[in-house]
Amino acid sequence: MLLAVAALLVVGSPSPAQAHARPVGTYPADNEVVPEAPNELSVTFNEPVTLAAAGNQVLGPDGAEVASDFSVRDRVLSISLEEALPDGTHVVTWRVTSSDSHPVAGAWTFAVGAPSAHAPAVPVVTEQHDVRLAQAIATGVQYAGLLGLAGLVGVATLLAPVAVRRDAVLVRRWHRTAGGFAVLAALGSTLLAPLSALRTRGEPLAAWWSADTWSEAVRGASATTAAVVVVGVLVTVVALRRGLDVLAAASAATALAAMVLVGHTRSSGPAAVVLGADLVHLGAAALWWGGLVALGLALAPGTGLRPAARAVLVARFSGAAAVSVLGLVAAGLVLYWQVAHSVSGLWDTGYGRTVLLKVALVLPVVALAGWNRYRLLPRLGTGPREDPAGAEGRLRTVVRCEAGVLVAVVAATGVLVNLTPPARSATEPPPPAAERTVTVDVGDGLSADVTLAPGRPGVNGVRLRVTDPNGRPVELDGPPTLTLLQPEREVGPLRRPVTPSASGTWEATADLPVAGTWEVTLAVPLSRFEEPVAIGRIEVQ
Ligand code: HEM
């Protein structure tokens, strides 16, 4: 079933892309001065996007909003202007949703006729932290319920020996717990639909009840996921109670697999690798967490189970868990690499640090599970009397500890999937402002300082200063040619016009859509016949 869903999603998924959409061009270009007022503006993205309901506007030179109509077709956001633009500088802000269902926002400026003396300020759409927190909690609740239900059903229908499955007390416990997990899964996924709509619109939790939030919520990918999850967990619980094991297992697996419909994995490529890793990760996590709960219920006093039957259950679970933990860790690392593509991102970003936290939590659990398997397991169900060595009591304690840590891992995952992966999004809170300077050798003992301010993704001021060996400014024969390129993400080359400011100093602006190492190429006209080209690298973070 998992494979069938995977195949379906691979066929229907977009071509390999990077997590979060980014703009690859605008019309008019950023900072361009156009002689005539255009009727239509546009932004082209590197992948298909959908329009967010809020955060899209055109501001005129006086800062007032210009009547306009924003629409998206595939990768292009078109803005048709309902009134003629006056002369001067205009600012366009846009907000769209990437195919991973996360919002991305940005802005650019252009001028009609000539730039205004004072350009309008770019309105900032801030992330609503209350919405992010609520999303992380709802995601954690959804995962705890879904993984728990799928793992418990897997153990109850596929792994448990017949003698265990016939114990009426244990079966009642399993059914009740499955019902509880189903409620958590349905609740978490249902809450996520309006929360995702709020985040996309950039609105606070207080806008929860607004009609706009709900009309966007029912149209989003989170609503589709919620529908699959709610129907899936309902069918699972009913089928489990009626003894329809195959149906229960199949519907639990389908509800679990619905998780790949949203999130970073939806738009990180190559699709087959990412979706395969995601399904392995989800299946193994479900077996571990839900299976452990099922096992704990079987080990708790009050059932009529014989020690030998319990020992068989523990042995089977422990064997399956050992294999799945290996798959879980390997798939988790593959997912990190495909989503983030950055080693330093592991400690430089909140996303990376949360993955490291998961690893740090998982390692002691793996050690505990190993101790379970190799020290406690051989002592179970072997003595003539019930549990002669007290091994079951210790096993119960170990199972409780393992389950406690896994709850923390699931909570960390709720946070992780709502964070921005390294260097991917325009909505990441910007780091503190800084200037970044690179000095390039221009030849003949001359050097040029190229300074980017603030040196982070978005619009930057660029200052070029050419100096002689004594640090004195050098007069050039004409304006230098400035080009910026981000080869890793294939952005650019962006050629930026420069204007003179002080002696030997030139200024420009550049909208750098992504972080990373930018190559700055400078052609410096020293005389009519001499124009050396120098290349430097600047880190944009
Ligand atoms: C070494 C251990 C682990 C690593 C490196 C790891 C890493 C990851 C990464 C990178 C993601 C993708 C997040 C995203 O969408 O941006 C992920 C997702 C996830 N992980 Fe883990 N993880 C580990 C262990 C676990 C464990 C022990 C559990 C639960 C018992 C778990 C449950 C999940 C779940 C439920 C998802 C979301 C999958 C989805 O929605 O498609 N992970 N993990």
Side-chain angles (χ1 to χ4, degrees), residues 77-245:
L77 165 63
S78 307
I79 305 149
S80 67
L81 300 162
E82 290 165 14
E83 51 188 280
L85 295 181
D87 280 1
T89 304
H90 297 260
V91 173
V92 187
T93 67
W94 51 262
R95 192 171 172 88
V96 294
T97 307
S98 305
S99 51
D100 67 359
S101 72
H102 285 188
V104 186
W108 92 98
T109 67
F110 65 92
V112 179
S116 316
H118 301 287
V122 179
V124 179
V125 183
T126 45
E127 275 273 26
Q128 300 292 339
H129 293 293
D130 54 353
V131 173
R132 257 185 123 147
L133 179 67
Q135 254 191 324
I137 295 171
T139 312
V141 167
Q142 171 192 250
Y143 285 149
L146 257 184
L147 298 176
L149 181 66
L152 188 145
V153 167
V155 168
T157 60
L158 305 170
L159 219 60
V162 178
V164 171
R165 283 195 239 175
R166 286 209 189 109
D167 186 274
V169 175
L170 177 59
V171 168
R172 253 200 316 280
R173 281 182 192 167
W174 277 350
H175 287 179
R176 266 204 310 270
T177 312
F181 279 144
V183 170
L184 289 182
L187 185 74
S189 56
T190 310
L191 287 176
L192 278 173
L195 288 172
S196 304
L198 286 175
R199 182 155 174 212
T200 305
R201 295 169 61 78
E203 285 181 342
L205 263 189
W208 170 272
W209 296 112
S210 95
D212 288 345
T213 302
W214 285 91
S215 76
E216 177 139 350
V218 293
R219 283 183 280 120
S222 301
T224 316
T225 312
V228 177
V229 169
V230 171
V231 173
V233 298
L234 260 176
V235 173
T236 305
V237 170
V238 172
L240 193 64
R241 283 175 188 241
R242 302 238 160 129
L244 303 169
D245 287 359

Side-chain angles (χ1 to χ4, degrees), residues 143 147 259-260 262-265 278 281-282 284-286 288-289 328-329 331-333 335-337 339 351 355 358-359 362 406 409-410 413 416-419 421:
Y143 285 149
L147 298 176
M259 292 299 96
V260 302
V262 284
H264 301 131
T265 47
D278 204 3
H281 199 66
L282 281 166
W288 201 3
W289 161 236
L328 178 81
V329 174
L333 296 175
L335 284 179
Y336 173 76
W337 186 250
V339 170
Y351 186 90
V355 170
K358 282 181 81 171
V359 174
V362 164
L406 286 184
V409 175
V410 171
T413 305
L416 177 71
V417 297
N418 289 296
L419 286 176

